[in-house]
Amino acid sequence: MNKIRLPIKFNNSHITFFVIAVVTFWIKTYAAYQIEFNLGIDNNLQRFLLLINPLSSALFFFGIALLFKKRVKLVMIITNFLLSFLLYANIAYYRFFNDFITVPVIMQTKTNAGQLGESALSLMSPFDIFYFTDLFILIALALTVFKNVTVPNRKSFKIVLLFAITTFLFNLGLAEKDRPQLLTRSFDRNYLVKYLGTYNFTIYDVVQNVKSSSQRALADSSDITDVENYRKANYASPNPDYFGKAKGMNVIYISMESFQTFMIDYKMPDGREVTPFLNSLAHDGNTFYFDNFYHQTGQGKTSDAEFLMENSLYPMSQGAVFVNKAQNTYHAMPSILKGQGYSSAVFHGNYKTFWNRNVIYKAFGYDQFFDAEYYNMTDENTKNYGMKDKPFFQESIPLLESLKQPFYTKFISLSNHFPFEMDPEDTDFPAGDYGDTVVDQYFQSAHYMDQAFEQFFNDLKANGMYDNTVIVMYGDHYGISENHNEAMAKVLGVDEITPSTNAKLQRVPLFIHVPGVKGGVQHQIGGQADVRPTVLHLLGIDTKDYMEFGSDLLSPQHRNWALFRNGDFVSSDVIQIKGKCYSNDTGELVENAEECKDTSEKVNTELQMSDEIVYKDLLRFYKPEGYTPINPNDYEYLGPKGKVTKTTEND
């Protein structure tokens, strides 16, 4: 019998194999968008864009394989693996951070490698194998049906490339129609992924990082003029009732890991308070407790919080300043107070290279860095991220007592870290019962941290430091992500976590205790950038000449809004989330709210101004009046066998 010959044989056509690779990958990616990402799809155009945006990337990357002729199958399989790995990495990252991976984040992973295992594993599921199903299909087909394929020619590649470019331009044109200036004025990666897809976003991110690397080289002293003018026009002068009330006192900052405001005064079903010590501080009348205070961190999380608190500048939109801009010039709290005769030190129960701290702390002007090498890092004393809080604070007291006074110090707690699992011997506090392991464990972890803080305060009182020390305690970033909203609705006793409720869940506690000064609960809205001018004014140091974007929380001129790194914000009247405007009081959507528009413009301007300073390293061209510049090369953190060495003679 004569065989019928088709123009292109199904079982050996490279084009058929290519089409199968593209279509299965396209379907898989779209399914991941729907299952894993909360991108805020609002209309049919956005739904259509979400459907088509993986196509241009698939056509382009799989199309490159057509150039490899006899190795076309192997290159397509490798391409699928790499793109699938990128997609899955974004899925796992998004499950906790509600964000997407950028090039700087990858650099951070290298810096923090080896200490992220427990958190990463907790974000994975056996069902995630689905995201590699198309890879297995391609391998099976390559070994059976498509064992021998025709050799592609360059014409095939040119046609596919033209189709990929056309699809992308069509995609971009529709995206720009729905979101004008998408690529030039977007602070939110959710927008970019929603309109362009994860793979095109990655290309955009690489381009942006190359661009940012060149910004510093092209900057000059004239670039800071606009920032300086903006700063002077938006300066909040100190409150005369509080200015200088803490002059000459020691300063202790305490970073409260992953601690959110909803925990203050929260009681378990049996009536037990989760954080009785912090609750007592909030209501003792001798401590300023800010209950409308928001974290403003980006991808750098804890390190971003440190950067905000000590520099009153906003973190980078992608990656972390600690990793990517550690060589910049800064006018940070330690260097400012050095001019007032203060010594400075950081206490941290992890190793000094984590978050590149051993490098950037020199740029901040820290005299000493007491890292894990100074502590008894036994198995019983440590968790995945370092030392447990109770032994950490206990062992820190002798180190603190060794410092020359007045001092400026920072303590970074660790125990209340995702996924919040506690060793049984460390707590007898009940877990929550909300059907979510992470949320349930959060109550135990927070209670343990609260006990550690109470112990530390008692030790400060015992050694006499408490009565001459300003203590600033702040939540660094959220602990419970949107991935746990179902359980959080039960925790808060609401039907669902609405966008406005989620925005308010970004509140973190801020406590400022000043000996001899009455405090109380403060309801004004603020953010982490506001803390530095507040504390410096309490110490009697006017910040009018410093390039900072915070607003003194105790000033009568304090503004009524706090921004988020993605360009959203919370004000006393409205909340902007993903471009939508909500009432702060009711949480209902507000149509055509002019105040949202006005504040949004201020927020975008402020973020752009801060980015100018950070990306272009503009502070190297500016010296505040009365400030003595430091040289980071003068510092070396040598560990317990050799204290920090200053190479300059005048100290």
Side-chain angles (χ1 to χ4, degrees):
M1 182 180 290
N2 294 329
K3 292 182 179 179
I4 298 175
R5 294 184 177 274
L6 298 175
I8 297 176
K9 292 183 179 180
F10 174 81
N11 66 343
N12 69 355
S13 169
H14 62 275
I15 292 297
T16 306
F17 191 77
F18 168 79
V19 170
I20 292 172
V22 169
V23 172
T24 55
F25 184 77
W26 181 10
I27 294 171
K28 186 253 312 264
T29 302
Y30 181 70
Y33 289 172
Q34 295 288 353
I35 296 169
E36 301 288 354
F37 303 143
N38 179 21
L39 298 174
I41 304 300
D42 298 323
N43 54 51
N44 288 331
L45 177 57
Q46 292 180 9
R47 293 185 184 93
F48 177 68
L49 288 172
L50 194 69
L51 173 65
I52 69 166
N53 70 44
L55 181 57
S56 63
S57 303
L59 288 169
F60 176 76
F61 287 110
F62 285 109
I64 292 174
L66 297 176
L67 293 173
F68 288 84
K69 297 187 176 181
K70 293 183 179 181
R71 293 186 175 88
V72 61
K73 293 186 299 179
L74 176 62
V75 175
M76 283 192 195
I77 289 170
I78 292 173
T79 300
N80 183 289
F81 171 75
L82 294 175
L83 293 177
S84 297
F85 183 82
L86 175 63
L87 176 65
Y88 183 64
N90 273 297
I91 288 169
Y93 188 80
Y94 193 90
R95 284 173 179 169
F96 180 71
F97 294 106
N98 297 114
D99 203 352
F100 296 94
I101 291 175
T102 63
V103 172
V105 164
I106 295 171
M107 294 174 63
Q108 292 164 201
T109 303
K110 291 180 180 179
T111 303
N112 299 341
Q115 304 187 51
L116 304 173
E118 182 181 336
S119 293
L121 287 174
S122 67
L123 299 171
M124 298 178 182
S125 163
F127 297 104
D128 292 345
I129 195 70
F130 163 76
Y131 297 114
F132 295 90
T133 303
D134 59 324
L135 174 63
F136 301 141
I137 292 173
L138 283 187
I139 294 173
L141 290 175
L143 295 175
T144 55
V145 179
F146 293 92
K147 194 169 184 179
N148 298 302
V149 298
T150 57
V151 177
N153 53 44
R154 287 190 174 273
K155 184 178 179 181
S156 301
F157 169 71
K158 290 178 181 178
I159 292 172
V160 169
L161 179 62
L162 179 62
F163 193 20
I165 293 173
T166 302
T167 304
F168 173 74
L169 292 177
F170 175 68
N171 184 163
L172 182 60
L174 291 178
E176 283 284 343
K177 180 180 178 181
D178 196 61
R179 176 74 177 181
Q181 297 179 299
L182 174 67
L183 299 181
T184 56
R185 288 184 59 83
S186 180
F187 294 110
D188 191 342
R189 280 172 289 280
N190 269 290
Y191 284 125
L192 294 168
V193 172
K194 175 169 66 174
Y195 288 112
L196 301 180
T198 53
Y199 314 108
N200 289 330
F201 163 71
T202 300
I203 296 172
Y204 168 84
D205 178 52
V206 170
V207 172
Q208 288 298 103
N209 275 277
V210 171
K211 179 181 175 182
S212 71
S213 298
S214 65
Q215 285 181 305
R216 186 184 189 279
L218 298 175
D220 60 42
S221 58
S222 64
D223 290 334
I224 204 167
T225 303
D226 289 342
V227 182
E228 188 174 1
N229 292 336
Y230 174 85
R231 162 63 181 149
K232 290 179 178 178
N234 291 275
Y235 165 69
S237 58
N239 187 330
D241 292 339
Y242 298 113
F243 186 76
K245 291 295 184 181
K247 188 175 181 63
M249 291 185 181
N250 300 318
V251 180
I252 293 176
Y253 274 41
I254 301 174
S255 171
M256 300 188 289
E257 173 64 41
S258 301
F259 192 67
Q260 294 171 247
T261 297
F262 77 86
M263 277 297 201
I264 299 297
D265 292 331
Y266 194 91
K267 293 182 179 180
M268 303 299 285
D270 64 0
R272 294 175 65 178
E273 293 177 284
V274 180
T275 58
F277 175 67
L278 292 177
N279 298 347
S280 68
L281 287 182
H283 303 296
D284 67 4
N286 296 314
T287 302
F288 294 105
Y289 166 57
F290 298 85
D291 63 359
N292 273 316
F293 181 77
Y294 289 81
H295 83 84
Q296 298 172 304
T297 62
Q299 292 184 323
K301 296 303 181 219
T302 299
S303 71
D304 279 354
E306 292 184 63
F307 181 72
L308 280 151
M309 298 286 289
E310 298 192 308
N311 293 277
S312 196
L313 300 172
Y314 298 110
M316 298 169 65
S317 60
Q318 297 163 255
V321 173
F322 270 44
V323 175
N324 298 288
K325 299 295 178 182
Q327 306 299 332
N328 279 12
T329 296
Y330 298 105
H331 303 150
M333 283 285 283
S335 62
I336 293 172
L337 293 179
K338 191 179 299 295
Q340 307 296 316
Y342 278 70
S343 64
S344 57
V346 181
F347 300 77
H348 186 36
N350 200 339
Y351 291 94
K352 59 187 176 185
T353 56
F354 199 73
W355 280 122
N356 202 36
R357 287 185 171 102
N358 60 315
V359 176
I360 201 164
Y361 283 168
K362 297 174 185 178
F364 290 176
Y366 273 109
D367 292 325
Q368 298 196 55
F369 183 8
F370 298 108
D371 75 329
E373 294 182 16
Y374 288 83
Y375 295 93
N376 184 24
M377 303 291 285
T378 61
D379 288 344
E380 65 178 10
N381 281 352
T382 57
K383 292 181 70 173
N384 189 44
Y385 281 82
M387 198 172 205
K388 297 175 183 177
D389 289 346
K390 287 184 179 180
F392 166 66
F393 282 109
Q394 185 177 15
E395 293 185 25
S396 295
I397 288 294
L399 300 173
L400 181 65
E401 292 172 341
S402 71
L403 298 180
K404 178 178 74 70
Q405 299 189 43
F407 53 68
Y408 170 84
T409 58
K410 176 171 58 182
F411 292 79
I412 305 171
S413 67
L414 283 169
S415 292
N416 193 46
H417 197 290
F418 180 88
F420 312 111
E421 184 177 3
M422 295 292 297
D423 290 335
E425 64 271 17
D426 288 330
T427 183
D428 59 359
F429 196 78
D433 186 20
Y434 301 102
D436 185 314
T437 302
V438 169
V439 174
D440 292 345
Q441 292 175 163
Y442 189 61
F443 295 92
Q444 294 176 306
S445 185
H447 180 75
Y448 173 87
M449 182 174 66
D450 182 74
Q451 290 179 318
F453 292 153
E454 182 175 21
Q455 165 200 303
F456 184 57
F457 269 61
N458 289 336
D459 288 340
L460 291 176
K461 292 174 181 178
N463 68 15
M465 289 183 177
Y466 182 80
D467 293 330
N468 190 43
T469 300
V470 177
I471 302 175
V472 180
M473 306 176 72
Y474 66 95
D476 59 352
H477 53 77
Y478 66 80
I480 307 297
S481 71
E482 291 181 50
N483 194 43
H484 305 278
N485 275 357
E486 184 177 343
M488 282 303 300
K490 298 176 184 177
V491 170
L492 300 181
V494 297
D495 293 333
E496 64 174 339
I497 302 297
T498 64
S500 60
T501 303
N502 183 68
K504 292 182 179 181
L505 279 172
Q506 307 314 306
R507 288 181 295 182
V508 293
L510 173 67
F511 299 89
I512 301 178
H513 176 80
V514 183
V517 176
K518 289 293 182 182
V521 180
Q522 308 289 310
H523 302 302
Q524 58 267 43
I525 289 175
Q528 289 165 328
D530 298 328
V531 175
R532 190 179 88 165
T534 305
V535 174
L536 285 176
H537 288 169
L538 285 167
L539 295 173
I541 301 170
D542 200 326
T543 62
K544 63 181 179 181
D545 289 323
Y546 285 92
M547 293 297 102
E548 62 183 17
F549 294 95
S551 169
D552 184 346
L553 290 162
L554 299 174
S555 170
Q557 300 167 5
H558 176 66
R559 62 197 176 196
N560 69 338
W561 53 266
L563 63 79
F564 298 121
R565 178 57 258 198
N566 66 359
D568 290 339
F569 64 85
V570 176
S571 78
S572 54
D573 299 315
V574 292
I575 302 172
Q576 179 175 290
I577 306 160
K578 296 182 179 179
K580 294 182 179 180
C581 192
Y582 299 84
S583 166
N584 192 321
D585 290 333
T586 67
E588 298 295 324
L589 195 63
V590 177
E591 299 293 342
N592 302 317
E594 193 64 27
E595 186 170 349
C596 254
K597 181 180 178 182
D598 292 343
T599 306
S600 181
E601 290 176 355
K602 295 176 184 177
V603 165
N604 287 334
T605 298
E606 189 139 311
L607 286 170
Q608 287 178 334
M609 291 289 181
S610 180
D611 285 348
E612 286 278 299
I613 289 178
V614 174
Y615 283 94
K616 294 184 177 181
D617 190 15
L618 294 185
L619 294 184
R620 60 190 159 133
F621 303 122
Y622 181 79
K623 177 181 172 296
E625 184 177 347
Y627 175 76
T628 302
I630 63 162
N631 182 356
N633 295 325
D634 290 344
Y635 301 90
E636 193 65 48
Y637 306 126
L638 301 178
K641 294 183 180 179
K643 289 189 351 184
V644 65
T645 301
K646 289 266 296 183
T647 58
T648 53
E649 295 180 2
N650 300 319
D651 181 42

